[in-house]
Amino acid sequence: MRFEYSVIPAPTKTEKAREAKTPTDRYALSLTAELNRMSAEGWEYVRADVLPSEERSGLTGRTTVYHNVLVFRRPHSVDPELRRLPQPEASEAAPAAPDAMTDRP
């Protein structure tokens, strides 16, 4: 089975909620909302990663910044028209091979 993938940034801001009293609770609630949003679109959560990215710093400098991302996947949707193999027409079919057993003396 083939999959397509989507990578999105992990949430960095949280929203206040009555049931979330601590910053950790608010972050978990934001993360849950993001996972549920992607799931509603057919994406399956795979993992969270921290990945490096080289970015400009000032006029000529460069620095490495690390980004927290969420990885999702879903089955690759292939167009059904592309899956069908072309069928040869009767006139294009190769002639039948002679039977090897009939050529014996």
Side-chain angles (χ1 to χ4, degrees):
M1 177 177 281
R2 295 179 58 191
F3 294 98
E4 61 180 327
Y5 292 86
S6 179
V7 178
I8 63 169
T12 55
K13 294 183 180 180
T14 61
E15 295 182 21
K16 290 186 179 181
R18 186 175 301 235
E19 64 272 12
K21 304 291 184 199
T22 66
T24 304
D25 291 341
R26 287 193 295 272
Y27 186 76
L29 195 61
S30 294
L31 189 58
T32 300
E34 197 63 29
L35 293 172
N36 287 333
R37 182 185 68 80
M38 292 295 287
S39 176
E41 295 177 15
W43 294 99
E44 174 188 3
Y45 173 73
V46 177
R47 69 176 177 267
D49 274 328
V50 179
L51 299 172
S53 173
E54 191 174 281
E55 298 179 1
R56 280 188 5 192
S57 174
L59 293 175
T60 59
R62 299 193 79 67
T63 186
T64 301
V65 177
Y66 292 89
H67 298 281
N68 296 310
V69 295
L70 305 175
V71 181
F72 296 86
R73 74 177 185 179
R74 66 181 172 191
H76 192 303
S77 56
V78 177
D79 186 357
E81 291 296 318
L82 297 177
R83 272 198 239 173
R84 277 197 266 159
L85 295 174
Q87 299 296 324
E89 294 181 15
S91 62
E92 294 178 4
D99 189 3
M101 298 302 282
T102 59
D103 291 344
R104 281 189 179 185

